[in-house]
């Protein structure tokens, strides 16, 4: 007999359950009381657990005994077999010690692994050599002398013949740029930027900030004897900061290096040409004016000493309304040792980034007609264009070779930039034509800001191949407008 079903709660509105009998129960219909749980003996459970444990131990002992027997049998068979010279020695059963910190530094030193009686030293980490992508042999330029350039990341490289050599090593805190030869080929000058974390209570940001000063450095042609020539750091009442230096070019005597800079104290109006004396380390402004656009001075770029050391060709940043309209300027120094005074001649608009030919009669330049940049040659006398050598809108930073028969330049392909060399030929009446154009690099990793610099030893020069060997007959060509200082007003 089961207990009566539980009915719905009172007042729930459900119909009465016919099988439900409320108490008091009629005689013979009382529910059977629930059966009490049976209690176990306090001795039986421990005894059963002990028996199970004994059984498990017996089975384990039997398995181990069988395993030892099989191992002894295998060892006996191995001892009877002939010795094999290529077999590996038995490993030591001793555990390998855990790494322990050294007392001096607290760093964890790796333990040496032991195999038999020999101790194995940790294998040294190897640094992968950089993979250089070079042009195919039939498309590769054979460079006479050496061309300097910079790769992305801040390493200076040298191209000579068909080989490439790394001259400096960049890091997370040091980057090199703008390499240039001294005319005698004994030294290489460049700009080095080194990260510096500064704590100075006189300055902003609670005295904590990061600087990347641009110092002028020099090294021997083989990369040895690196030395700082000009320290760009400034320490005054405003705190520690620096002046900007870029685009160095060395005079033939090696005593002056022209750069573009915002001055010794870093607050000149615009970035203009300055000359650093390599002996005293002092920097002075070149005495030429700068075009103004309202209160902003557009400044100068791309200075290049000629072979006499008295003239500097440069980009004079001009404007036509709100549009940039640069032109080539030629500054004649007062003397070889003094460029604080002199005379400036401005050629016609449309050209920039000049490079002197060996005899100083021609300039390799970039065209700036708004359709990109291309390579052309103009006369230094009046800015007349002799020839345009590229027509792709992606060629820039030309550099005349010291032999005068080649031009190195940078070529852009999308985001990739490489060094190329074009060879020139001279026809009748001094007509210049492009004979060949070959690649020096082809991996697209060249720094487009740093340009190129070229040196050829005197014993390798052949002046008969120079484009300057034949003077063209340009008497009928109209002379370009020549502007002496002061410069024209804005918008001219």
């Amino acid at each position: 007999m089961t207990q009566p079903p539980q009915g719905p709660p009172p007042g729930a509105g459900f119909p009465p359950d016919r099988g439900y009998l409320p108490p008091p129960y009629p005689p013979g219909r009382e529910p059977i009381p629930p059966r009490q749980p049976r209690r176990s003996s306090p001795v039986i459970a421990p005894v059963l657990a002990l028996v199970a444990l004994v059984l498990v131990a017996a089975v384990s002992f039997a398995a181990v005994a069988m395993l030892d027997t099989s191992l002894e049998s295998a060892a006996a068979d191995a001892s009877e077999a002939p010795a094999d010279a290529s077999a590996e020695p038995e490993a030591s059963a001793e555990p390998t010690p855990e790494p322990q910190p050294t007392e001096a530094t607290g760093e964890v030193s790796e333990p040496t692994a032991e195999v038999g009686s020999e101790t194995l030293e940790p294998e040294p980490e190897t640094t992968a050599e950089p993979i250089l992508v070079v042009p195919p042999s039939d498309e590769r330029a054979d460079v006479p002398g050496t061309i300097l350039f910079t790769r992305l990341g801040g390493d200076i490289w040298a191209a000579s013949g068909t080989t490439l050599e790394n001259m400096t090593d960049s890091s997370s805190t040091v980057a090199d740029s703008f390499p240039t030869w001294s005319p005698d080929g004994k030294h290489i000058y460049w700009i080095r930027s080194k990260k510096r974390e500064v704590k100075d209570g006189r300055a902003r940001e609670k005295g904590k900030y990061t600087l990347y000063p641009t110092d002028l450095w020099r090294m021997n042609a083989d990369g040895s004897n690196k030395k700082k020539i000009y320290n760009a750091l400034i320490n005054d009442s405003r705190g520690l900061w620096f002046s900007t230096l870029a685009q160095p070019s060395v005079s033939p005597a090696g005593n002056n290096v022209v750069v573009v800079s915002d001055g010794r104290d870093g607050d000149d109006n615009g970035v203009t040409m300055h000359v650093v004396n390599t002996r005293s380390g002092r920097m002075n402004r070149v005495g030429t004016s700068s075009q103004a656009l309202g209160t902003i001075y557009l400044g100068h770029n791309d200075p290049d000493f000629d072979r006499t050391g008295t003239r500097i060709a440069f980009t004079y940043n001009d404007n036509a309304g709100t549009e940039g309209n640069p032109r080539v300027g030629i500054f004649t120094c007062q003397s070889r040792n003094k460029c604080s005074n002199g005379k400036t001649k401005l050629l016609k608009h449309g050209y920039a980034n000049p490079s002197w030919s060996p005899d100083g009669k021609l300039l390799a330049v970039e065209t700036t007609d708004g359709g990109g940049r291309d390579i052309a040659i103009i006369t230094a006398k009046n800015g007349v264009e002799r020839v345009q050598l590229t027509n792709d809108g992606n060629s820039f930073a030309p550099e005349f070779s010291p032999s005068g028969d080649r031009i190195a330049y940078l070529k852009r392909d999308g985001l990739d930039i490489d060094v190329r060399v074009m060879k020139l030929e001279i026809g009748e009446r001094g007509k210049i034509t492009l004979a060949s154009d070959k690649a020096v690099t082809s991996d697209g990793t060249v720094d487009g800001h740093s340009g190129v610099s070229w040196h050829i030893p005197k014993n390798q020069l052949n002046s008969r191949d120079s484009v300057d060997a034949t003077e063209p007959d340009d008497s009928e060509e109209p002379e370009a407008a020549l502007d002496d200082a002061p410069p024209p007003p804005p918008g001219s």
Side-chain angles (χ1 to χ4, degrees), residues 187-264:
H187 297 100
I188 297 171
Y189 291 77
W190 81 98
I191 300 298
R192 169 162 285 184
S193 179
K194 185 174 182 179
K195 181 180 179 180
R196 294 187 57 154
E197 300 292 344
V198 178
K199 294 182 180 179
D200 191 340
R202 297 168 295 176
R204 61 190 183 280
E205 300 296 334
K206 297 182 180 179
K208 297 180 180 180
Y209 52 96
T210 303
L211 292 180
Y212 297 87
T214 51
D215 301 321
L216 178 63
W217 283 67
R218 180 181 68 197
M219 62 182 169
N220 294 339
D222 61 0
S224 63
N225 195 24
K226 295 179 175 63
K227 180 182 178 181
K228 186 187 296 186
I229 301 300
Y230 184 84
N231 187 352
L233 280 175
I234 301 170
N235 191 355
D236 59 18
S237 59
R238 294 168 288 185
L240 188 67
W241 51 313
F242 67 95
S243 58
T244 300
L245 273 74
Q247 301 177 332
S249 176
V250 188
S251 67
N255 58 331
N256 286 321
V257 180
V258 60
V259 297
V260 291
S261 174
D262 54 1
R264 285 181 295 176

Side-chain angles (χ1 to χ4, degrees), residues 41-88:
S41 173
V43 178
I44 294 177
V47 171
L48 292 177
L50 180 60
V51 171
L53 184 61
V54 171
L55 291 175
V56 171
V59 172
S60 301
F61 180 79
V64 171
M66 294 177 62
L67 180 61
D68 288 342
T69 302
S70 62
L71 289 176
E72 290 176 359
S73 177
D77 294 340
S79 63
E80 295 175 0
D84 185 1
S86 62
E88 296 183 359

Side-chain angles (χ1 to χ4, degrees), residues 87-141:
E88 296 183 359
E90 184 179 356
S92 174
E94 296 182 2
T96 302
E98 294 294 330
Q100 297 296 327
T102 60
E103 296 180 0
T105 62
E107 297 179 355
V108 175
S109 59
E110 293 295 332
T112 57
E114 293 184 358
V115 178
S117 61
E118 297 180 359
T119 300
L120 300 183
E121 297 294 335
E123 192 173 27
E125 295 183 1
T126 56
T127 303
E129 294 293 331
I131 300 176
L132 299 178
V133 181
V134 297
S137 57
D138 58 337
E139 300 177 8
R140 190 183 314 167

Side-chain angles (χ1 to χ4, degrees), residues 193-475:
S193 179
K194 185 174 182 179
K195 181 180 179 180
R196 294 187 57 154
E197 300 292 344
V198 178
K199 294 182 180 179
D200 191 340
R202 297 168 295 176
R204 61 190 183 280
E205 300 296 334
K206 297 182 180 179
K208 297 180 180 180
Y209 52 96
T210 303
L211 292 180
Y212 297 87
T214 51
D215 301 321
L216 178 63
W217 283 67
R218 180 181 68 197
M219 62 182 169
N220 294 339
D222 61 0
S224 63
N225 195 24
K226 295 179 175 63
K227 180 182 178 181
K228 186 187 296 186
I229 301 300
Y230 184 84
N231 187 352
L233 280 175
I234 301 170
N235 191 355
D236 59 18
S237 59
R238 294 168 288 185
L240 188 67
W241 51 313
F242 67 95
S243 58
T244 300
L245 273 74
Q247 301 177 332
S249 176
V250 188
S251 67
N255 58 331
N256 286 321
V257 180
V258 60
V259 297
V260 291
S261 174
D262 54 1
R264 285 181 295 176
D265 52 4
D267 57 4
D268 281 8
N269 290 324
V271 175
T272 59
M273 290 190 297
H274 289 70
V275 170
V276 177
N277 187 287
T278 58
R279 296 184 178 92
S280 66
R282 187 173 179 83
M283 183 168 66
N284 292 306
R285 183 172 177 173
V286 173
T288 186
S289 58
S290 174
Q291 183 64 283
L293 182 60
T295 59
I296 301 175
Y297 285 85
L298 302 180
H300 312 137
N301 295 103
D302 318 309
D304 188 38
F305 263 117
D306 74 348
R307 292 304 177 91
T308 68
T310 59
R311 293 185 300 173
I312 303 173
F314 65 101
T315 299
Y316 180 90
N317 292 311
D318 205 345
N319 68 290
T322 58
E323 299 294 329
N325 195 20
R327 58 203 308 186
V328 171
I330 298 176
F331 178 79
T332 302
C333 301
Q334 187 177 12
S335 67
R336 285 185 174 88
N337 296 323
K338 190 175 183 180
C339 287
S340 57
N341 294 309
K343 186 177 182 180
T344 302
K345 179 174 70 174
L346 300 177
L347 306 182
K348 64 181 181 180
H349 294 89
Y351 302 100
N353 205 348
S355 171
W356 289 102
S357 64
D359 70 348
K361 295 180 180 179
L362 301 175
L363 293 166
V365 295
E366 298 171 4
T367 62
T368 62
D369 57 2
R373 295 290 175 110
D374 279 293
I375 308 300
I377 295 177
I378 63 174
T379 61
K381 178 182 178 180
N382 52 23
V384 172
E385 185 175 303
R386 290 277 300 274
V387 63
Q388 182 168 322
L389 297 168
T390 66
N391 193 30
D392 51 43
N394 289 302
S395 302
F396 59 103
E399 172 81 355
F400 250 119
S401 75
S403 62
D405 63 335
R406 290 173 171 84
I407 292 177
Y409 70 102
L410 299 182
K411 176 69 173 291
R412 186 192 310 274
D413 183 8
L415 297 178
D416 296 340
I417 298 177
D418 283 294
V419 181
R420 299 187 66 87
V421 169
M422 56 178 69
K423 184 174 175 55
L424 310 176
E425 288 184 353
I426 303 176
E428 297 180 358
R429 300 181 61 190
K431 182 179 180 181
I432 303 171
T433 57
L434 178 61
S436 65
D437 187 347
K438 295 188 175 183
V440 176
T441 68
S442 60
D443 57 1
T445 63
V446 174
D447 174 19
H449 298 285
S450 293
V452 296
S453 181
W454 201 339
H455 172 71
I456 301 177
K458 289 184 178 180
N459 59 4
Q460 298 181 21
L461 292 175
N462 187 354
S463 60
R464 291 177 300 176
D465 296 332
S466 174
V467 294
D468 308 315
T470 304
E471 188 71 23
D473 182 10
D474 59 356
S475 58

